[in-house]
Amino acid sequence: MKEIYLDHNATTPLNNSIGRIINKYGKLLYGNPSSPYKIGKISRMEVEKSREKVARIINCSKDEVYFTSGGTESNNLAIQGSLNYLRRFGKINAKKRIITTEIEHLSVLNVFKELSKEGVKNYDVVFLPVDNFGFVDMEKFKSSIDSNTILISIMLANNEVGSIQSIKEMVKIAKSKNKNIIFHCDAVQGLAKIRVDVKDLEIDMLSISSHKIYGPKGVGALYIRKGVNIYPLFFGGHQEKSIRPGTENVCSIIGFGYACNLSRVNFDKNIELLTELKKYATNRILQEIKKITNVRINNPENNCLPNTLSICFDGIDNELLISLLNKEGIYVSSGSACTSESLESSHVLLAIGLSPNLARNTIRISLGIGNTKKELKIAVGKIRKIILKNKLILRKN
Ligand code: PLP
C-alpha cells in the first residue's frame, strides 16, 4: 500500500540528501565543538557554517542565532528568558502586562497560562481573541497595549488554520506606544512557506524549528536581536553564549543548516507548487464532497499558508475519519499533533468560533513539496467513500 502523507504541519519527512549528509557526518564529526584539537575544531566550524545558513534564511547576523532543541524550547526561552531577565534586573516593580493570542501553539499558550496562574502575581496576562478566520483584530490589539505592557508574543502563521498575522504592523504599533516592549514571534509554521525577514519585521525575537522544513527533529533556533537580554533557563557551560548551554547537537544542527539553505534557494518553486496543490485539493473537496455533506472551509482564502487546509465535514466524526483514512495509508490530522491525543476540541477551532461539534468534524490537511495531484485525487476519493459509508452506518442506526 502506497502511503500518502498529508500532515506536514505536524512534521515533514527528512529530505533525502540531508539524511545522507547527517549519516556521513554522524560518524566523522564526533568531536565536541568546544574541544581545542582538530576534530573538535572541525565540529565547531560546521556548527558555525550552519549558523550562517540559518541566519541567511531569516536575514540576520549569525551572532543573533541561538541553537535550541526546537520550536518549543525557543518559545519558552524567548518568553520566560526575557521576563526572567527583566525581573532579575529590577525592571519589574509593579504588575506588568504581557500579551498573546488565543490561537498560539501550546508551547506559547501554556507558558502564558502558567504566568497567569494565581500564585504568579507579577503578570496581567491578555489572550487576544481572533475573528472567524484566525486573524487578530488590530483595534483590539492596539487597545490591549497599555503603559505596563512589557512583552508581546504572537505567532506568524497558525498551524491549524494557516492564518498569517500582520506582524510587521503589530510591531510598529507596539513600538510606537512603547519602544521598550519586547516583541516575540513564533515563526515555526511560517518559515519556508512565507518569507521571514527579521529585519523587515523589526522583531526582537523569533522562533524556528528544523523538522517543519524537511530537516531533522530535535533542533531549532531562536533569533535574539542584538541588545535584547535573556536570562537562561538552563545553567551549564558557555555554549550559545551561556544562553543555552549544553554540548551542541552537531549533526542535527548541520542538517538544519542544509534544510534552511534548500528552503531558501527553492522558495519560489516550492510556494508555486504548494499553492497549486492546495487549489487542486480545495476544488476537488468542494466538487466531490459537497454533494454528500456540508463542507465548511475554516482556513482563510487570503493571507493563509500556501499548504494548509482546515475543513469541516458536517456530521462526520474527525477521529473516525482519521482512523479509517489511516487504515488506507492516508495520513491527515484533526489539528495540532501536540493535542491529537487529547479528547478536548482544538482551542484554535473554538477560538475562530466553531462549536465543539463542528470542531470535532474538522480535519487538517497540510501539504508538502513531495505531494502530487494524483495523491490528492486518491485521498479525496477515499474521504468521499468513507463519508458515504459512514453516513450509511449512521442511517442504519
Ligand atoms: N510553534 C508552532 C506554531 C508549531 O506548529 C510547533 C509544532 O507543531 C511548535 C511551535 C513546536 O515546535 P517543535 O515541535 O520543534 O517543538
Side-chain angles (χ1 to χ4, degrees):
M1 180 169 58
K2 188 182 174 306
E3 298 185 326
I4 301 178
Y5 183 69
L6 301 174
D7 198 15
H8 293 79
N9 286 5
T11 194
T12 53
L14 184 66
N15 171 283
N16 283 339
S17 63
I18 297 177
R20 281 194 293 273
I21 287 165
I22 290 176
N23 281 341
K24 182 178 138 197
Y25 280 119
K27 285 229 152 117
L28 289 175
L29 291 187
Y30 63 90
N32 186 320
S34 299
S35 296
Y37 39 77
K38 187 174 155 196
I39 53 163
K41 285 184 176 168
I42 296 173
S43 289
R44 165 63 53 213
M45 206 175 68
E46 291 299 330
V47 167
E48 295 315 312
K49 274 200 229 161
S50 253
R51 203 184 303 279
E52 266 167 30
K53 292 179 181 132
V54 175
R56 204 156 164 207
I57 196 174
I58 56 170
N59 189 28
C60 66
S61 131
K62 77 188 267 290
D63 315 338
E64 295 170 310
V65 172
Y66 295 80
F67 287 116
T68 65
S69 64
T72 299
E73 189 188 335
S74 296
N75 286 339
N76 273 269
L77 182 60
I79 300 162
Q80 298 194 59
S82 56
L83 292 176
N84 287 352
Y85 182 90
L86 291 174
R87 190 171 330 142
R88 188 142 188 116
F89 294 96
K91 295 192 182 154
I92 296 186
N93 42 20
K95 193 161 186 158
K96 294 290 182 189
R97 176 166 282 195
I98 55 176
I99 301 171
T100 190
T101 77
E102 286 180 352
I103 61 163
E104 297 299 310
H105 184 263
L106 293 182
S107 57
V108 169
L109 198 67
N110 283 343
V111 180
F112 276 75
K113 280 190 180 163
E114 274 302 308
L115 295 169
S116 72
K117 282 186 180 160
E118 238 176 87
V120 188
K121 300 229 183 293
N122 284 320
Y123 304 108
D124 155 29
V125 186
V126 176
F127 297 93
L128 289 170
V130 292
D131 68 13
N132 292 147
F133 287 109
F135 296 111
V136 174
D137 180 320
M138 275 303 172
E139 288 311 312
K140 285 197 181 122
F141 171 72
K142 253 185 231 170
S143 61
S144 70
I145 304 169
D146 65 5
S147 58
N148 272 324
T149 304
I150 52 169
L151 175 89
I152 300 174
S153 179
I154 297 184
M155 72 197 324
L156 181 59
N158 183 263
N159 43 310
E160 293 192 39
V161 293
S163 51
I164 299 169
Q165 307 297 339
S166 313
I167 296 295
K168 187 175 173 176
E169 201 185 331
M170 290 177 173
V171 174
K172 276 215 158 65
I173 293 169
K175 299 277 177 177
S176 71
K177 289 208 169 198
N178 174 359
K179 69 174 177 23
N180 293 325
I181 290 175
I182 297 172
F183 208 126
H184 164 254
C185 177
D186 173 357
V188 166
Q189 288 295 342
L191 188 71
K193 295 178 205 139
I194 51 175
R195 286 209 191 275
V196 179
D197 180 330
V198 292
K199 294 279 179 307
D200 182 52
L201 293 173
E202 296 185 84
I203 200 87
D204 294 313
M205 292 184 284
L206 182 129
S207 304
I208 54 177
S209 177
S210 158
H211 74 103
K212 308 287 184 183
I213 63 162
Y214 309 91
K217 292 173 181 47
V219 59
L222 178 64
Y223 157 76
I224 308 175
R225 185 174 60 74
K226 255 180 224 136
V228 173
N229 294 308
I230 291 274
Y231 200 71
L233 301 184
F234 308 148
F235 297 88
H238 298 297
Q239 296 92 349
E240 303 302 296
K241 297 185 217 140
S242 302
I243 282 180
R244 204 284 187 172
T247 303
E248 296 87 343
N249 184 353
V250 178
C251 282
S252 295
I253 288 174
I254 293 171
F256 183 24
Y258 275 92
C260 287
N261 245 14
L262 283 176
S263 299
R264 186 176 55 75
V265 171
N266 297 318
F267 182 81
D268 290 336
K269 190 177 83 183
N270 291 347
I271 299 311
E272 198 182 321
L273 172 69
L274 292 173
T275 307
E276 178 71 21
L277 290 174
K278 181 172 158 181
K279 201 165 123 197
Y280 179 82
T282 309
N283 288 340
R284 267 211 102 77
I285 287 168
L286 290 175
Q287 274 165 21
E288 292 207 24
I289 302 179
K290 231 180 167 165
K291 289 182 216 150
I292 53 170
T293 188
N294 277 341
V295 176
R296 180 198 143 109
I297 309 270
N298 301 321
N299 56 277
E301 198 174 337
N302 299 314
N303 295 322
C304 184
L305 288 177
N307 76 323
T308 307
L309 266 159
S310 170
I311 317 139
C312 178
F313 299 121
D314 214 358
I316 309 300
D317 179 69
N318 58 7
E319 292 308 326
L320 181 63
L321 179 58
I322 290 164
S323 82
L324 293 172
L325 282 170
N326 170 47
K327 286 192 183 142
E328 305 275 355
I330 297 169
Y331 307 128
V332 300
S333 71
S334 57
S336 169
C338 303
T339 47
S340 62
E341 282 169 21
S342 91
L343 290 174
E344 284 169 32
S345 302
S346 142
H347 68 280
V348 175
L349 298 178
L350 297 181
I352 65 165
L354 262 61
S355 65
N357 269 348
L358 286 181
R360 279 192 293 272
N361 292 168
T362 292
I363 62 163
R364 176 184 72 183
I365 293 179
S366 48
L367 307 167
I369 55 175
N371 288 135
T372 61
K373 284 187 183 171
K374 189 175 166 205
E375 286 181 332
L376 296 175
K377 187 176 170 191
I378 295 171
V380 176
K382 293 276 186 208
I383 293 173
R384 184 174 186 275
K385 265 196 189 151
I386 289 169
I387 291 179
L388 276 174
K389 205 168 158 199
N390 192 46
K391 279 204 142 183
L392 283 178
I393 294 167
L394 285 176
R395 245 180 257 140
K396 262 191 224 160
N397 293 337

PDB file of all heavy atoms in Angstrom, residues 9-10 69-73 75 104-105 107-108 155 157-159 186-189 208-212 218-220 336-338 364, ligand 1:
ATOM      1  N   ASN A   9       2.242  19.957   8.602  1.00  0.00           N
ATOM      2  CA  ASN A   9       2.374  20.943   9.688  1.00  0.00           C
ATOM      3  C   ASN A   9       2.726  20.248  11.004  1.00  0.00           C
ATOM      4  O   ASN A   9       3.197  20.888  11.940  1.00  0.00           O
ATOM      5  CB  ASN A   9       1.094  21.766   9.853  1.00  0.00           C
ATOM      6  CG  ASN A   9       0.932  22.775   8.728  1.00  0.00           C
ATOM      7  OD1 ASN A   9       1.729  22.786   7.788  1.00  0.00           O
ATOM      8  ND2 ASN A   9      -0.082  23.623   8.816  1.00  0.00           N
ATOM      9  N   ALA A  10       2.471  18.925  11.063  1.00  0.00           N
ATOM     10  CA  ALA A  10       2.895  18.177  12.261  1.00  0.00           C
ATOM     11  C   ALA A  10       4.403  17.964  12.189  1.00  0.00           C
ATOM     12  O   ALA A  10       5.136  18.231  13.131  1.00  0.00           O
ATOM     13  CB  ALA A  10       2.183  16.840  12.328  1.00  0.00           C
ATOM     14  N   SER A  69      16.644  23.069  21.066  1.00  0.00           N
ATOM     15  CA  SER A  69      16.167  21.722  20.696  1.00  0.00           C
ATOM     16  C   SER A  69      14.919  21.783  19.820  1.00  0.00           C
ATOM     17  O   SER A  69      14.349  20.761  19.498  1.00  0.00           O
ATOM     18  CB  SER A  69      15.866  20.917  21.960  1.00  0.00           C
ATOM     19  OG  SER A  69      14.807  21.540  22.659  1.00  0.00           O
ATOM     20  N   GLY A  70      14.452  22.973  19.461  1.00  0.00           N
ATOM     21  CA  GLY A  70      13.282  23.066  18.582  1.00  0.00           C
ATOM     22  C   GLY A  70      12.400  24.256  18.923  1.00  0.00           C
ATOM     23  O   GLY A  70      12.757  25.113  19.750  1.00  0.00           O
ATOM     24  N   GLY A  71      11.223  24.287  18.290  1.00  0.00           N
ATOM     25  CA  GLY A  71      10.315  25.417  18.456  1.00  0.00           C
ATOM     26  C   GLY A  71       9.842  25.585  19.890  1.00  0.00           C
ATOM     27  O   GLY A  71       9.757  26.712  20.405  1.00  0.00           O
ATOM     28  N   THR A  72       9.537  24.485  20.553  1.00  0.00           N
ATOM     29  CA  THR A  72       9.029  24.558  21.928  1.00  0.00           C
ATOM     30  C   THR A  72      10.052  25.224  22.841  1.00  0.00           C
ATOM     31  O   THR A  72       9.727  26.133  23.615  1.00  0.00           O
ATOM     32  CB  THR A  72       8.698  23.138  22.444  1.00  0.00           C
ATOM     33  OG1 THR A  72       7.697  22.595  21.588  1.00  0.00           O
ATOM     34  CG2 THR A  72       8.221  23.150  23.880  1.00  0.00           C
ATOM     35  N   GLU A  73      11.294  24.790  22.728  1.00  0.00           N
ATOM     36  CA  GLU A  73      12.312  25.382  23.590  1.00  0.00           C
ATOM     37  C   GLU A  73      12.562  26.843  23.213  1.00  0.00           C
ATOM     38  O   GLU A  73      12.717  27.697  24.100  1.00  0.00           O
ATOM     39  CB  GLU A  73      13.626  24.590  23.514  1.00  0.00           C
ATOM     40  CG  GLU A  73      14.599  25.082  24.574  1.00  0.00           C
ATOM     41  CD  GLU A  73      15.993  24.496  24.459  1.00  0.00           C
ATOM     42  OE1 GLU A  73      16.164  23.400  23.899  1.00  0.00           O
ATOM     43  OE2 GLU A  73      16.916  25.175  24.921  1.00  0.00           O
ATOM     44  N   ASN A  75      10.476  28.989  22.012  1.00  0.00           N
ATOM     45  CA  ASN A  75       9.382  29.806  22.542  1.00  0.00           C
ATOM     46  C   ASN A  75       9.521  30.009  24.045  1.00  0.00           C
ATOM     47  O   ASN A  75       9.348  31.120  24.562  1.00  0.00           O
ATOM     48  CB  ASN A  75       8.031  29.146  22.231  1.00  0.00           C
ATOM     49  CG  ASN A  75       7.661  29.285  20.762  1.00  0.00           C
ATOM     50  OD1 ASN A  75       8.177  30.164  20.069  1.00  0.00           O
ATOM     51  ND2 ASN A  75       6.772  28.439  20.280  1.00  0.00           N
ATOM     52  N   GLU A 104      -2.382  30.586  19.855  1.00  0.00           N
ATOM     53  CA  GLU A 104      -0.955  30.207  19.822  1.00  0.00           C
ATOM     54  C   GLU A 104      -0.794  28.694  19.949  1.00  0.00           C
ATOM     55  O   GLU A 104      -1.652  28.006  20.509  1.00  0.00           O
ATOM     56  CB  GLU A 104      -0.202  30.886  20.962  1.00  0.00           C
ATOM     57  CG  GLU A 104      -0.186  32.387  20.904  1.00  0.00           C
ATOM     58  CD  GLU A 104       0.485  32.965  19.668  1.00  0.00           C
ATOM     59  OE1 GLU A 104       1.603  32.562  19.356  1.00  0.00           O
ATOM     60  OE2 GLU A 104      -0.135  33.832  19.015  1.00  0.00           O
ATOM     61  N   HIS A 105       0.343  28.226  19.491  1.00  0.00           N
ATOM     62  CA  HIS A 105       0.736  26.833  19.752  1.00  0.00           C
ATOM     63  C   HIS A 105       0.871  26.669  21.268  1.00  0.00           C
ATOM     64  O   HIS A 105       1.187  27.635  21.988  1.00  0.00           O
ATOM     65  CB  HIS A 105       2.081  26.557  19.064  1.00  0.00           C
ATOM     66  CG  HIS A 105       2.534  25.146  19.181  1.00  0.00           C
ATOM     67  ND1 HIS A 105       3.432  24.730  20.140  1.00  0.00           N
ATOM     68  CD2 HIS A 105       2.192  24.042  18.472  1.00  0.00           C
ATOM     69  CE1 HIS A 105       3.630  23.431  19.998  1.00  0.00           C
ATOM     70  NE2 HIS A 105       2.896  22.989  18.986  1.00  0.00           N
ATOM     71  N   SER A 107       3.092  25.617  23.063  1.00  0.00           N
ATOM     72  CA  SER A 107       4.401  25.970  23.637  1.00  0.00           C
ATOM     73  C   SER A 107       4.504  27.471  23.926  1.00  0.00           C
ATOM     74  O   SER A 107       5.470  27.913  24.552  1.00  0.00           O
ATOM     75  CB  SER A 107       5.537  25.517  22.716  1.00  0.00           C
ATOM     76  OG  SER A 107       5.404  26.078  21.435  1.00  0.00           O
ATOM     77  N   VAL A 108       3.540  28.252  23.476  1.00  0.00           N
ATOM     78  CA  VAL A 108       3.437  29.654  23.883  1.00  0.00           C
ATOM     79  C   VAL A 108       2.248  29.801  24.839  1.00  0.00           C
ATOM     80  O   VAL A 108       2.366  30.339  25.938  1.00  0.00           O
ATOM     81  CB  VAL A 108       3.248  30.590  22.655  1.00  0.00           C
ATOM     82  CG1 VAL A 108       2.867  31.997  23.089  1.00  0.00           C
ATOM     83  CG2 VAL A 108       4.530  30.630  21.834  1.00  0.00           C
ATOM     84  N   MET A 155       2.105  34.578  17.069  1.00  0.00           N
ATOM     85  CA  MET A 155       2.643  33.693  16.033  1.00  0.00           C
ATOM     86  C   MET A 155       2.516  34.324  14.647  1.00  0.00           C
ATOM     87  O   MET A 155       1.593  35.095  14.387  1.00  0.00           O
ATOM     88  CB  MET A 155       1.951  32.332  16.082  1.00  0.00           C
ATOM     89  CG  MET A 155       0.531  32.343  15.604  1.00  0.00           C
ATOM     90  SD  MET A 155      -0.460  30.873  16.103  1.00  0.00           S
ATOM     91  CE  MET A 155       0.651  29.508  16.062  1.00  0.00           C
ATOM     92  N   ALA A 157       2.238  32.479  11.710  1.00  0.00           N
ATOM     93  CA  ALA A 157       1.214  31.742  10.969  1.00  0.00           C
ATOM     94  C   ALA A 157       0.705  30.608  11.836  1.00  0.00           C
ATOM     95  O   ALA A 157       1.480  29.956  12.527  1.00  0.00           O
ATOM     96  CB  ALA A 157       1.807  31.176   9.683  1.00  0.00           C
ATOM     97  N   ASN A 158      -0.611  30.422  11.776  1.00  0.00           N
ATOM     98  CA  ASN A 158      -1.202  29.406  12.649  1.00  0.00           C
ATOM     99  C   ASN A 158      -1.072  27.998  12.057  1.00  0.00           C
ATOM    100  O   ASN A 158      -1.299  27.787  10.869  1.00  0.00           O
ATOM    101  CB  ASN A 158      -2.667  29.737  12.918  1.00  0.00           C
ATOM    102  CG  ASN A 158      -3.293  28.755  13.871  1.00  0.00           C
ATOM    103  OD1 ASN A 158      -3.941  27.803  13.446  1.00  0.00           O
ATOM    104  ND2 ASN A 158      -3.041  28.923  15.151  1.00  0.00           N
ATOM    105  N   ASN A 159      -0.749  27.043  12.928  1.00  0.00           N
ATOM    106  CA  ASN A 159      -0.506  25.670  12.500  1.00  0.00           C
ATOM    107  C   ASN A 159      -1.779  24.917  12.114  1.00  0.00           C
ATOM    108  O   ASN A 159      -1.719  23.933  11.394  1.00  0.00           O
ATOM    109  CB  ASN A 159       0.245  24.896  13.586  1.00  0.00           C
ATOM    110  CG  ASN A 159      -0.284  25.150  14.975  1.00  0.00           C
ATOM    111  OD1 ASN A 159      -0.456  26.293  15.393  1.00  0.00           O
ATOM    112  ND2 ASN A 159      -0.558  24.093  15.709  1.00  0.00           N
ATOM    113  N   ASP A 186       6.493  33.538  17.070  1.00  0.00           N
ATOM    114  CA  ASP A 186       6.683  32.116  16.788  1.00  0.00           C
ATOM    115  C   ASP A 186       6.495  31.935  15.281  1.00  0.00           C
ATOM    116  O   ASP A 186       5.378  31.991  14.774  1.00  0.00           O
ATOM    117  CB  ASP A 186       5.633  31.321  17.585  1.00  0.00           C
ATOM    118  CG  ASP A 186       5.627  29.844  17.234  1.00  0.00           C
ATOM    119  OD1 ASP A 186       6.388  29.428  16.340  1.00  0.00           O
ATOM    120  OD2 ASP A 186       4.846  29.098  17.859  1.00  0.00           O
ATOM    121  N   ALA A 187       7.620  31.736  14.584  1.00  0.00           N
ATOM    122  CA  ALA A 187       7.555  31.621  13.120  1.00  0.00           C
ATOM    123  C   ALA A 187       7.770  30.174  12.667  1.00  0.00           C
ATOM    124  O   ALA A 187       8.152  29.921  11.525  1.00  0.00           O
ATOM    125  CB  ALA A 187       8.588  32.536  12.484  1.00  0.00           C
ATOM    126  N   VAL A 188       7.511  29.228  13.582  1.00  0.00           N
ATOM    127  CA  VAL A 188       7.771  27.813  13.276  1.00  0.00           C
ATOM    128  C   VAL A 188       7.012  27.355  12.024  1.00  0.00           C
ATOM    129  O   VAL A 188       7.566  26.657  11.181  1.00  0.00           O
ATOM    130  CB  VAL A 188       7.423  26.935  14.512  1.00  0.00           C
ATOM    131  CG1 VAL A 188       7.341  25.459  14.154  1.00  0.00           C
ATOM    132  CG2 VAL A 188       8.454  27.148  15.615  1.00  0.00           C
ATOM    133  N   GLN A 189       5.744  27.755  11.896  1.00  0.00           N
ATOM    134  CA  GLN A 189       4.987  27.315  10.715  1.00  0.00           C
ATOM    135  C   GLN A 189       5.192  28.229   9.517  1.00  0.00           C
ATOM    136  O   GLN A 189       4.934  27.842   8.384  1.00  0.00           O
ATOM    137  CB  GLN A 189       3.483  27.221  11.028  1.00  0.00           C
ATOM    138  CG  GLN A 189       3.105  26.067  11.924  1.00  0.00           C
ATOM    139  CD  GLN A 189       3.337  24.698  11.313  1.00  0.00           C
ATOM    140  OE1 GLN A 189       3.477  24.534  10.099  1.00  0.00           O
ATOM    141  NE2 GLN A 189       3.389  23.688  12.168  1.00  0.00           N
ATOM    142  N   ILE A 208      12.173  29.338  15.345  1.00  0.00           N
ATOM    143  CA  ILE A 208      12.023  28.463  14.173  1.00  0.00           C
ATOM    144  C   ILE A 208      12.423  27.028  14.544  1.00  0.00           C
ATOM    145  O   ILE A 208      13.100  26.806  15.551  1.00  0.00           O
ATOM    146  CB  ILE A 208      12.846  28.970  12.954  1.00  0.00           C
ATOM    147  CG1 ILE A 208      14.324  29.175  13.325  1.00  0.00           C
ATOM    148  CG2 ILE A 208      12.251  30.250  12.379  1.00  0.00           C
ATOM    149  CD1 ILE A 208      15.187  29.604  12.147  1.00  0.00           C
ATOM    150  N   SER A 209      11.990  26.088  13.720  1.00  0.00           N
ATOM    151  CA  SER A 209      12.234  24.675  14.027  1.00  0.00           C
ATOM    152  C   SER A 209      12.596  23.919  12.749  1.00  0.00           C
ATOM    153  O   SER A 209      11.984  24.132  11.700  1.00  0.00           O
ATOM    154  CB  SER A 209      10.966  24.086  14.659  1.00  0.00           C
ATOM    155  OG  SER A 209      11.124  22.726  14.903  1.00  0.00           O
ATOM    156  N   SER A 210      13.556  23.023  12.868  1.00  0.00           N
ATOM    157  CA  SER A 210      14.092  22.312  11.701  1.00  0.00           C
ATOM    158  C   SER A 210      13.122  21.289  11.091  1.00  0.00           C
ATOM    159  O   SER A 210      13.021  21.160   9.880  1.00  0.00           O
ATOM    160  CB  SER A 210      15.390  21.619  12.132  1.00  0.00           C
ATOM    161  OG  SER A 210      15.726  20.565  11.309  1.00  0.00           O
ATOM    162  N   HIS A 211      12.358  20.579  11.962  1.00  0.00           N
ATOM    163  CA  HIS A 211      11.592  19.446  11.411  1.00  0.00           C
ATOM    164  C   HIS A 211      10.350  19.879  10.632  1.00  0.00           C
ATOM    165  O   HIS A 211       9.668  19.039  10.044  1.00  0.00           O
ATOM    166  CB  HIS A 211      11.242  18.435  12.512  1.00  0.00           C
ATOM    167  CG  HIS A 211      10.161  18.842  13.459  1.00  0.00           C
ATOM    168  ND1 HIS A 211       8.884  18.356  13.375  1.00  0.00           N
ATOM    169  CD2 HIS A 211      10.177  19.671  14.520  1.00  0.00           C
ATOM    170  CE1 HIS A 211       8.158  18.861  14.360  1.00  0.00           C
ATOM    171  NE2 HIS A 211       8.918  19.668  15.063  1.00  0.00           N
ATOM    172  N   LYS A 212      10.075  21.187  10.618  1.00  0.00           N
ATOM    173  CA  LYS A 212       8.946  21.658   9.805  1.00  0.00           C
ATOM    174  C   LYS A 212       9.419  22.031   8.399  1.00  0.00           C
ATOM    175  O   LYS A 212       8.629  22.375   7.542  1.00  0.00           O
ATOM    176  CB  LYS A 212       8.296  22.891  10.449  1.00  0.00           C
ATOM    177  CG  LYS A 212       7.918  22.738  11.901  1.00  0.00           C
ATOM    178  CD  LYS A 212       6.713  21.841  12.115  1.00  0.00           C
ATOM    179  CE  LYS A 212       6.337  21.830  13.597  1.00  0.00           C
ATOM    180  NZ  LYS A 212       5.245  20.953  13.924  1.00  0.00           N
ATOM    181  N   GLY A 218      14.266  17.708  16.673  1.00  0.00           N
ATOM    182  CA  GLY A 218      15.043  17.968  17.897  1.00  0.00           C
ATOM    183  C   GLY A 218      16.061  19.084  17.758  1.00  0.00           C
ATOM    184  O   GLY A 218      17.023  19.144  18.524  1.00  0.00           O
ATOM    185  N   VAL A 219      15.869  19.952  16.783  1.00  0.00           N
ATOM    186  CA  VAL A 219      16.770  21.106  16.674  1.00  0.00           C
ATOM    187  C   VAL A 219      15.978  22.287  16.109  1.00  0.00           C
ATOM    188  O   VAL A 219      15.070  22.125  15.300  1.00  0.00           O
ATOM    189  CB  VAL A 219      18.028  20.781  15.810  1.00  0.00           C
ATOM    190  CG1 VAL A 219      17.662  20.363  14.406  1.00  0.00           C
ATOM    191  CG2 VAL A 219      19.001  21.949  15.769  1.00  0.00           C
ATOM    192  N   GLY A 220      16.309  23.453  16.615  1.00  0.00           N
ATOM    193  CA  GLY A 220      15.654  24.683  16.163  1.00  0.00           C
ATOM    194  C   GLY A 220      16.540  25.852  16.521  1.00  0.00           C
ATOM    195  O   GLY A 220      17.718  25.664  16.880  1.00  0.00           O
ATOM    196  N   SER A 336      -3.467  20.240  15.731  1.00  0.00           N
ATOM    197  CA  SER A 336      -2.095  20.178  16.202  1.00  0.00           C
ATOM    198  C   SER A 336      -1.737  18.769  16.658  1.00  0.00           C
ATOM    199  O   SER A 336      -2.514  18.115  17.342  1.00  0.00           O
ATOM    200  CB  SER A 336      -1.936  21.155  17.366  1.00  0.00           C
ATOM    201  OG  SER A 336      -0.716  20.942  17.991  1.00  0.00           O
ATOM    202  N   ALA A 337      -0.526  18.311  16.293  1.00  0.00           N
ATOM    203  CA  ALA A 337      -0.070  16.980  16.712  1.00  0.00           C
ATOM    204  C   ALA A 337       0.040  16.900  18.232  1.00  0.00           C
ATOM    205  O   ALA A 337      -0.153  15.845  18.825  1.00  0.00           O
ATOM    206  CB  ALA A 337       1.268  16.659  16.073  1.00  0.00           C
ATOM    207  N   CYS A 338       0.324  18.046  18.870  1.00  0.00           N
ATOM    208  CA  CYS A 338       0.510  18.052  20.325  1.00  0.00           C
ATOM    209  C   CYS A 338      -0.782  17.781  21.072  1.00  0.00           C
ATOM    210  O   CYS A 338      -0.766  17.396  22.223  1.00  0.00           O
ATOM    211  CB  CYS A 338       1.046  19.397  20.796  1.00  0.00           C
ATOM    212  SG  CYS A 338       2.547  19.834  20.012  1.00  0.00           S
ATOM    213  N   ARG A 364      -7.465  18.557   9.372  1.00  0.00           N
ATOM    214  CA  ARG A 364      -6.459  19.437   8.760  1.00  0.00           C
ATOM    215  C   ARG A 364      -5.684  18.633   7.723  1.00  0.00           C
ATOM    216  O   ARG A 364      -5.207  17.535   8.014  1.00  0.00           O
ATOM    217  CB  ARG A 364      -5.485  19.952   9.827  1.00  0.00           C
ATOM    218  CG  ARG A 364      -4.359  20.784   9.215  1.00  0.00           C
ATOM    219  CD  ARG A 364      -3.355  21.217  10.257  1.00  0.00           C
ATOM    220  NE  ARG A 364      -2.514  20.122  10.734  1.00  0.00           N
ATOM    221  CZ  ARG A 364      -1.599  20.240  11.687  1.00  0.00           C
ATOM    222  NH1 ARG A 364      -1.410  21.393  12.286  1.00  0.00           N
ATOM    223  NH2 ARG A 364      -0.871  19.193  12.066  1.00  0.00           N
TER     224      ARG A 364
HETATM  225  N1  PLP B   1       5.038  26.560  17.190  1.00  0.00           N
HETATM  226  C1  PLP B   1       4.213  26.137  16.218  1.00  0.00           C
HETATM  227  C2  PLP B   1       3.352  27.124  15.516  1.00  0.00           C
HETATM  228  C3  PLP B   1       4.168  24.784  15.872  1.00  0.00           C
HETATM  229  O1  PLP B   1       3.335  24.374  14.916  1.00  0.00           O
HETATM  230  C4  PLP B   1       5.012  23.887  16.566  1.00  0.00           C
HETATM  231  C5  PLP B   1       4.970  22.432  16.265  1.00  0.00           C
HETATM  232  O2  PLP B   1       3.970  21.899  15.835  1.00  0.00           O
HETATM  233  C6  PLP B   1       5.855  24.380  17.567  1.00  0.00           C
HETATM  234  C7  PLP B   1       5.833  25.724  17.848  1.00  0.00           C
HETATM  235  C8  PLP B   1       6.755  23.464  18.343  1.00  0.00           C
HETATM  236  O3  PLP B   1       7.887  23.139  17.606  1.00  0.00           O
HETATM  237  P1  PLP B   1       8.751  21.842  17.964  1.00  0.00           P
HETATM  238  O4  PLP B   1       7.948  20.659  17.532  1.00  0.00           O
HETATM  239  O5  PLP B   1      10.019  22.000  17.173  1.00  0.00           O
HETATM  240  O6  PLP B   1       8.985  21.884  19.424  1.00  0.00           O
END
